[in-house]
Structure formats: C-alpha cells, structure tokens
Amino acid sequence: MVHKILFWSGFGVAVRLWQLGIEMRPLLARESLWVYPIFAGVGGSFGYWMSGVERRHVEVLADRKNRLLEKRKRRAEREAAAAGQQGNRSEEGGILASTS
C-alpha cells in the first residue's frame, strides 16, 4: 500500500513539474516551493483511495470466485447423484426383466 501512495505522491509532484514546464516558469522558484507538498499530498491521497478501491475489488472477486466454486461443486454432486440413480434403475430393470 505504501508503494502506491509514494508512487501517486511522486506523480503529483511530476504533474506540478509538467505544469511549470508548460508555462515555461522556473521549476524551483522560491515563491512556488510551497505548492509541491500540496501536489504530493493530493497525489498521495488519490493513491490511498485507490489502494482501498483495489482491496475492496479483490475481496469482491474472491467472494464471487468462492460462490462460483461452491455452485460448481453442488452441481457436480447433483449430477453424480442423478447419474448414480439412473445407473441403479437400469440395473433394477435388468434384474426384473431377467426374472420375469
């Protein structure tokens, strides 16, 4: 999580540098140095928020995967039970047919 926050903080600083480059202003002018921590803070906040979004998405996907696996397991059990019952019926029919 920390690496994502640091990345987005650096991205915020890069955006500020890009902004000053587009404006062709000095990058490290004394009167505009106070803005860099703001851009880093906004970027870090976005990174923190994205970490939470990713965590929630991973939880939802894991839950959905577990539900699908359980559903497939129940279906396989149902099909195996149905196939077993059909096999027993054919054997019973064969026994009855041979005895009559």
Side-chain angles (χ1 to χ4, degrees):
M1 179 169 89
V2 174
H3 67 282
K4 291 185 183 192
I5 295 172
L6 290 175
F7 169 78
W8 285 105
S9 295
F11 185 78
V13 171
V15 167
R16 177 63 179 163
L17 291 170
W18 188 24
Q19 176 190 19
L20 291 176
I22 289 173
E23 294 176 355
M24 294 186 182
R25 291 176 44 201
L27 299 179
L28 297 175
R30 181 170 282 241
E31 60 274 356
S32 66
L33 284 179
W34 63 273
V35 181
Y36 286 102
I38 293 174
F39 274 78
V42 169
S45 298
F46 180 75
Y48 180 73
W49 176 75
M50 285 299 293
S51 296
V53 168
E54 181 183 17
R55 181 184 47 80
R56 287 188 298 274
H57 282 202
V58 167
E59 289 174 1
V60 166
L61 288 174
D63 181 48
R64 194 170 291 172
K65 179 182 176 183
N66 289 335
R67 282 189 286 154
L68 282 173
L69 290 175
E70 289 173 9
K71 184 179 177 181
R72 289 179 185 170
K73 182 181 175 184
R74 286 192 309 267
R75 182 178 180 191
E77 290 172 355
R78 250 191 341 261
E79 289 176 354
Q85 289 175 354
Q86 288 176 355
N88 290 341
R89 288 182 187 162
S90 64
E91 290 175 8
E92 291 174 359
I95 293 171
L96 294 176
S98 64
T99 57
S100 42

